[in-house]
Amino acid sequence: MPFDLIHRHDSNAAALTIDQLRDQVPAAFSETAAPETSERYGFVHTASAIDILTDHGFAPVRAIQKPSRKAEQLAFADHMITFAPQGLADTGAPDRAEIVLYNSHNGKSALKLFAGSFRFICSNGMVAGDGFEAKARHSRLTANGFSDMVADQAQALPDMMQRIERMKQTPLEREQIIDLAYNATKLRWDMESERKAEDLGSFATSGTVSQVNRPRRYGDQSSDLWTTFNVAQEALIRGGVRVASFTKANPQGSIRKARPVASLPESIRINRQLWDMANAIA
Protein backbone atom coordinates (compact mmCIF):
# COMPACT_ATOMS: atom_id res chain seq x y z
CA MET A 1 0.00 0.00 0.00
CA PRO A 2 1.46 3.45 -0.89
CA PHE A 3 2.28 5.84 1.93
CA ASP A 4 -0.56 8.37 1.97
CA LEU A 5 0.49 11.78 3.26
CA ILE A 6 -2.67 13.72 2.47
CA HIS A 7 -4.11 14.57 5.87
CA ARG A 8 -7.16 12.35 5.57
CA HIS A 9 -9.38 11.23 8.39
CA ASP A 10 -12.96 10.58 9.50
CA SER A 11 -15.23 13.60 9.40
CA ASN A 12 -16.79 12.61 12.74
CA ALA A 13 -13.57 13.61 14.54
CA ALA A 14 -13.67 10.45 16.63
CA ALA A 15 -10.59 10.52 18.84
CA LEU A 16 -7.97 7.86 18.29
CA THR A 17 -7.32 5.61 21.26
CA ILE A 18 -3.87 5.14 22.75
CA ASP A 19 -3.78 1.63 21.27
CA GLN A 20 -4.56 3.04 17.82
CA LEU A 21 -1.83 5.64 18.21
CA ARG A 22 0.67 2.99 19.28
CA ASP A 23 -0.18 1.05 16.15
CA GLN A 24 -0.05 4.00 13.74
CA VAL A 25 2.81 6.04 15.23
CA PRO A 26 4.93 3.73 17.40
CA ALA A 27 7.75 6.29 17.47
CA ALA A 28 5.51 8.62 19.49
CA PHE A 29 5.81 6.21 22.43
CA SER A 30 9.55 5.63 22.33
CA GLU A 31 11.00 5.90 25.83
CA THR A 32 14.45 6.97 24.60
CA ALA A 33 16.03 8.92 21.78
CA ALA A 34 17.91 7.20 18.96
CA PRO A 35 21.35 5.91 20.02
CA GLU A 36 23.13 8.16 17.53
CA THR A 37 21.85 11.40 19.11
CA SER A 38 24.37 13.54 20.99
CA GLU A 39 24.54 14.14 24.74
CA ARG A 40 23.14 17.62 24.17
CA TYR A 41 19.95 16.19 22.67
CA GLY A 42 17.03 16.75 25.03
CA PHE A 43 14.48 13.96 24.70
CA VAL A 44 10.95 15.35 24.24
CA HIS A 45 8.52 12.48 24.61
CA THR A 46 5.66 12.77 22.09
CA ALA A 47 3.43 10.77 24.43
CA SER A 48 3.80 13.55 27.00
CA ALA A 49 2.99 16.12 24.32
CA ILE A 50 -0.21 14.19 23.55
CA ASP A 51 -1.19 14.43 27.23
CA ILE A 52 -0.56 18.20 27.25
CA LEU A 53 -2.63 18.72 24.09
CA THR A 54 -5.41 16.65 25.68
CA ASP A 55 -5.27 18.84 28.78
CA HIS A 56 -5.74 21.86 26.49
CA GLY A 57 -8.91 20.32 25.01
CA PHE A 58 -7.58 18.66 21.85
CA ALA A 59 -7.94 15.01 20.85
CA PRO A 60 -5.86 13.08 18.28
CA VAL A 61 -7.85 12.28 15.12
CA ARG A 62 -5.12 11.46 12.59
CA ALA A 63 -1.65 9.92 12.93
CA ILE A 64 0.98 8.99 10.37
CA GLN A 65 4.63 8.00 10.63
CA LYS A 66 7.46 8.03 8.12
CA PRO A 67 8.12 4.45 7.00
CA SER A 68 11.60 2.99 7.40
CA ARG A 69 13.25 -0.01 5.80
CA LYS A 70 15.33 -0.48 8.94
CA ALA A 71 13.27 -1.93 11.76
CA GLU A 72 15.54 -0.40 14.39
CA GLN A 73 14.66 3.11 13.10
CA LEU A 74 10.88 2.72 13.47
CA ALA A 75 10.99 3.65 17.15
CA PHE A 76 12.56 7.04 16.39
CA ALA A 77 11.13 8.03 12.98
CA ASP A 78 9.41 11.31 12.04
CA HIS A 79 5.72 11.28 12.90
CA MET A 80 2.77 13.66 12.64
CA ILE A 81 -0.43 13.70 14.70
CA THR A 82 -3.43 15.91 13.99
CA PHE A 83 -5.58 17.12 16.90
CA ALA A 84 -9.14 18.46 16.76
CA PRO A 85 -11.05 20.17 19.56
CA GLN A 86 -12.41 17.44 21.83
CA GLY A 87 -15.99 16.40 21.18
CA LEU A 88 -16.21 18.32 17.91
CA ALA A 89 -18.01 16.12 15.38
CA ASP A 90 -19.24 17.14 11.95
CA THR A 91 -21.64 19.94 12.91
CA GLY A 92 -22.35 20.94 9.33
CA ALA A 93 -19.55 23.50 9.13
CA PRO A 94 -17.47 23.06 5.95
CA ASP A 95 -14.12 23.36 7.76
CA ARG A 96 -12.64 22.64 11.18
CA ALA A 97 -9.58 24.19 12.85
CA GLU A 98 -6.93 21.75 14.05
CA ILE A 99 -3.43 21.60 15.55
CA VAL A 100 -0.79 19.47 13.86
CA LEU A 101 2.12 18.08 15.89
CA TYR A 102 5.33 17.04 14.11
CA ASN A 103 8.19 15.35 15.95
CA SER A 104 10.93 12.75 15.75
CA HIS A 105 13.21 11.04 18.24
CA ASN A 106 16.20 10.73 15.93
CA GLY A 107 17.69 14.19 16.38
CA LYS A 108 16.80 15.26 12.84
CA SER A 109 13.85 17.53 13.60
CA ALA A 110 12.74 20.03 16.19
CA LEU A 111 9.31 19.50 17.72
CA LYS A 112 6.84 21.62 15.74
CA LEU A 113 3.22 22.66 16.03
CA PHE A 114 1.20 23.99 13.10
CA ALA A 115 -2.26 25.47 12.80
CA GLY A 116 -4.26 23.35 10.38
CA SER A 117 -7.69 22.99 8.85
CA PHE A 118 -9.84 19.99 7.93
CA ARG A 119 -12.14 20.30 4.90
CA PHE A 120 -15.18 18.03 5.16
CA ILE A 121 -16.12 17.98 1.46
CA CYS A 122 -12.97 16.05 0.53
CA SER A 123 -11.78 14.78 3.93
CA ASN A 124 -8.46 16.53 3.34
CA GLY A 125 -6.45 18.66 5.72
CA MET A 126 -3.91 21.39 5.22
CA VAL A 127 -1.19 23.09 7.23
CA ALA A 128 -1.15 26.89 7.40
CA GLY A 129 1.97 28.82 6.51
CA ASP A 130 3.72 31.95 7.71
CA GLY A 131 2.73 32.99 11.22
CA PHE A 132 1.15 29.65 12.13
CA GLU A 133 4.14 27.58 13.24
CA ALA A 134 5.76 27.07 16.62
CA LYS A 135 8.89 24.98 17.10
CA ALA A 136 11.44 24.25 19.76
CA ARG A 137 14.71 22.37 19.72
CA HIS A 138 14.80 19.26 21.86
CA SER A 139 17.74 20.63 23.84
CA ARG A 140 15.69 23.61 25.02
CA LEU A 141 12.12 22.38 25.41
CA THR A 142 10.42 21.74 28.74
CA ALA A 143 6.91 20.55 29.54
CA ASN A 144 5.91 24.10 30.51
CA GLY A 145 7.42 25.43 27.31
CA PHE A 146 5.43 22.99 25.23
CA SER A 147 2.24 23.87 27.09
CA ASP A 148 2.86 27.52 26.17
CA MET A 149 3.36 26.49 22.52
CA VAL A 150 0.01 24.70 22.53
CA ALA A 151 -1.73 27.71 24.06
CA ASP A 152 -0.21 30.02 21.43
CA GLN A 153 -1.30 27.77 18.55
CA ALA A 154 -4.81 27.44 19.97
CA GLN A 155 -5.06 31.24 20.09
CA ALA A 156 -3.92 31.40 16.44
CA LEU A 157 -6.71 29.14 15.17
CA PRO A 158 -9.47 31.81 15.00
CA ASP A 159 -7.17 34.06 12.92
CA MET A 160 -6.45 31.18 10.56
CA MET A 161 -10.16 30.42 10.15
CA GLN A 162 -10.86 34.12 9.45
CA ARG A 163 -8.27 34.01 6.67
CA ILE A 164 -9.95 30.93 5.24
CA GLU A 165 -13.28 32.76 5.23
CA ARG A 166 -11.57 35.63 3.41
CA MET A 167 -10.29 33.19 0.78
CA LYS A 168 -13.81 31.81 0.34
CA GLN A 169 -15.06 35.33 -0.32
CA THR A 170 -12.31 36.03 -2.87
CA PRO A 171 -13.46 35.25 -6.43
CA LEU A 172 -10.77 34.59 -9.02
CA GLU A 173 -10.77 35.44 -12.69
CA ARG A 174 -9.76 32.70 -15.11
CA GLU A 175 -6.27 34.15 -15.55
CA GLN A 176 -5.77 34.27 -11.78
CA ILE A 177 -6.76 30.62 -11.45
CA ILE A 178 -4.27 29.63 -14.15
CA ASP A 179 -1.53 31.73 -12.53
CA LEU A 180 -2.16 30.12 -9.13
CA ALA A 181 -2.09 26.63 -10.67
CA TYR A 182 1.17 27.45 -12.47
CA ASN A 183 2.86 28.82 -9.36
CA ALA A 184 1.52 25.94 -7.26
CA THR A 185 2.87 23.41 -9.73
CA LYS A 186 6.35 24.96 -9.43
CA LEU A 187 6.31 24.27 -5.69
CA ARG A 188 6.85 20.60 -6.53
CA TRP A 189 8.31 20.45 -10.07
CA ASP A 190 10.49 22.54 -12.33
CA MET A 191 8.92 23.33 -15.69
CA GLU A 192 9.96 21.25 -18.69
CA SER A 193 10.17 24.45 -20.76
CA GLU A 194 13.05 25.57 -18.50
CA ARG A 195 14.82 22.19 -18.52
CA LYS A 196 18.38 21.83 -19.80
CA ALA A 197 19.15 18.88 -22.08
CA GLU A 198 21.26 17.11 -19.45
CA ASP A 199 18.73 17.49 -16.61
CA LEU A 200 17.08 14.29 -15.40
CA GLY A 201 14.02 13.77 -13.23
CA SER A 202 10.36 14.79 -13.36
CA PHE A 203 9.22 18.08 -14.89
CA ALA A 204 5.86 19.79 -15.17
CA THR A 205 4.30 20.58 -18.53
CA SER A 206 1.43 22.85 -19.53
CA GLY A 207 -0.74 19.73 -19.21
CA THR A 208 0.44 19.28 -15.62
CA VAL A 209 -0.65 22.82 -14.79
CA SER A 210 -4.08 22.18 -16.32
CA GLN A 211 -4.50 19.04 -14.23
CA VAL A 212 -3.38 20.78 -11.03
CA ASN A 213 -6.27 23.15 -11.68
CA ARG A 214 -8.79 20.41 -12.52
CA PRO A 215 -11.44 19.68 -9.82
CA ARG A 216 -11.67 16.04 -8.73
CA ARG A 217 -15.23 16.26 -7.41
CA TYR A 218 -18.44 18.15 -8.19
CA GLY A 219 -18.21 20.21 -5.00
CA ASP A 220 -14.95 21.77 -6.20
CA GLN A 221 -16.39 23.52 -9.27
CA SER A 222 -16.32 26.95 -7.63
CA SER A 223 -13.80 29.59 -8.74
CA ASP A 224 -13.22 31.14 -5.30
CA LEU A 225 -9.68 31.22 -3.89
CA TRP A 226 -10.24 28.64 -1.11
CA THR A 227 -11.62 26.03 -3.51
CA THR A 228 -8.85 26.69 -6.02
CA PHE A 229 -6.28 26.35 -3.23
CA ASN A 230 -7.68 22.98 -2.14
CA VAL A 231 -7.87 21.60 -5.69
CA ALA A 232 -4.20 22.46 -6.22
CA GLN A 233 -3.16 21.14 -2.80
CA GLU A 234 -4.72 17.75 -3.38
CA ALA A 235 -3.15 17.43 -6.84
CA LEU A 236 0.31 18.32 -5.55
CA ILE A 237 0.28 16.06 -2.49
CA ARG A 238 -1.71 13.10 -3.79
CA GLY A 239 -0.20 13.17 -7.30
CA GLY A 240 -1.88 11.48 -10.25
CA VAL A 241 -1.24 14.40 -12.59
CA ARG A 242 0.87 13.82 -15.71
CA VAL A 243 4.51 14.91 -15.67
CA ALA A 244 7.41 14.52 -18.09
CA SER A 245 10.05 12.06 -16.86
CA PHE A 246 13.65 12.02 -18.09
CA THR A 247 16.05 9.24 -17.09
CA LYS A 248 19.43 7.90 -18.20
CA ALA A 249 17.62 4.95 -19.77
CA ASN A 250 15.14 7.27 -21.51
CA PRO A 251 16.83 10.67 -22.05
CA GLN A 252 14.17 11.64 -24.62
CA GLY A 253 11.58 11.58 -21.87
CA SER A 254 8.14 10.09 -21.40
CA ILE A 255 4.86 11.11 -19.78
CA ARG A 256 3.84 9.36 -16.58
CA LYS A 257 1.57 9.87 -13.59
CA ALA A 258 3.16 11.66 -10.65
CA ARG A 259 3.43 9.66 -7.46
CA PRO A 260 2.09 10.97 -4.14
CA VAL A 261 4.48 12.95 -1.98
CA ALA A 262 6.21 10.39 0.25
CA SER A 263 8.07 12.73 2.61
CA LEU A 264 6.56 14.28 5.72
CA PRO A 265 8.78 17.41 5.60
CA GLU A 266 8.08 17.85 1.88
CA SER A 267 4.34 17.53 2.43
CA ILE A 268 4.45 20.22 5.11
CA ARG A 269 6.67 22.49 2.96
CA ILE A 270 4.29 22.33 -0.01
CA ASN A 271 1.24 22.88 2.19
CA ARG A 272 2.69 25.91 3.94
CA GLN A 273 4.12 27.57 0.83
CA LEU A 274 0.85 27.06 -1.02
CA TRP A 275 -1.00 28.60 1.94
CA ASP A 276 1.31 31.62 1.85
CA MET A 277 0.68 31.99 -1.88
CA ALA A 278 -3.11 31.92 -1.46
CA ASN A 279 -3.03 34.11 1.64
CA ALA A 280 -1.08 36.77 -0.28
CA ILE A 281 -3.79 36.82 -2.95
CA ALA A 282 -6.53 37.16 -0.34
Side-chain angles (χ1 to χ4, degrees), residues 38-50:
S38 70
E39 294 181 355
R40 293 179 298 173
Y41 181 80
F43 180 62
V44 180
H45 197 194
T46 299
S48 298
I50 294 172

Side-chain angles (χ1 to χ4, degrees), residues 51-73:
D51 291 339
I52 293 173
L53 277 153
T54 300
D55 290 342
H56 279 268
F58 292 87
V61 294
R62 171 75 163 115
I64 51 178
Q65 177 171 316
K66 180 180 178 180
S68 176
R69 295 180 180 178
K70 298 180 179 180
E72 63 271 19
Q73 294 298 320

Side-chain angles (χ1 to χ4, degrees), residues 236-259:
L236 295 182
I237 303 298
R238 194 176 292 284
V241 298
R242 300 279 181 175
V243 294
S245 176
F246 297 86
T247 64
K248 289 183 179 180
N250 186 7
Q252 301 305 314
S254 61
I255 301 297
R256 66 168 179 83
K257 281 188 177 182
R259 298 182 180 90

Side-chain angles (χ1 to χ4, degrees), residues 126-147:
M126 70 89 200
V127 178
D130 188 40
F132 294 96
E133 175 191 20
K135 64 180 177 180
R137 296 186 181 279
H138 282 252
S139 59
R140 302 174 184 173
L141 189 60
T142 65
N144 287 337
F146 181 76
S147 183

Side-chain angles (χ1 to χ4, degrees), residues 115-270:
S117 173
F118 176 77
R119 187 170 181 248
F120 286 99
I121 189 174
C122 56
S123 298
N124 288 343
M126 70 89 200
V127 178
D130 188 40
F132 294 96
E133 175 191 20
K135 64 180 177 180
R137 296 186 181 279
H138 282 252
S139 59
R140 302 174 184 173
L141 189 60
T142 65
N144 287 337
F146 181 76
S147 183
D148 291 341
M149 286 172 59
V150 173
D152 289 344
Q153 287 304 99
Q155 291 176 3
L157 294 181
D159 180 30
M160 181 196 66
M161 297 304 288
Q162 287 178 4
R163 298 192 190 195
I164 289 175
E165 288 302 316
R166 190 182 307 143
M167 291 184 195
K168 292 178 181 179
Q169 302 302 318
T170 303
L172 297 182
E173 301 292 337
R174 181 61 183 168
E175 289 186 2
Q176 290 177 295
I177 294 175
I178 295 173
D179 285 345
L180 179 58
Y182 177 82
N183 292 325
T185 300
K186 293 188 69 174
L187 293 178
R188 182 171 176 187
W189 300 283
D190 292 330
M191 298 302 297
E192 184 187 11
S193 58
E194 302 170 357
R195 172 183 171 268
K196 297 179 181 179
E198 66 273 16
D199 291 342
L200 302 178
S202 298
F203 296 82
T205 67
S206 58
T208 309
V209 175
S210 296
Q211 292 179 357
V212 166
N213 180 43
R214 185 176 300 163
R216 301 190 178 199
R217 58 188 59 82
Y218 180 78
D220 282 338
Q221 300 294 324
S222 176
S223 60
D224 65 90
L225 177 56
W226 178 239
T227 303
T228 304
F229 164 90
N230 279 276
V231 168
Q233 182 241 25
E234 186 170 2
L236 295 182
I237 303 298
R238 194 176 292 284
V241 298
R242 300 279 181 175
V243 294
S245 176
F246 297 86
T247 64
K248 289 183 179 180
N250 186 7
Q252 301 305 314
S254 61
I255 301 297
R256 66 168 179 83
K257 281 188 177 182
R259 298 182 180 90
V261 172
S263 162
L264 280 172
E266 183 69 358
S267 172
I268 290 175
R269 180 192 68 80
I270 293 172

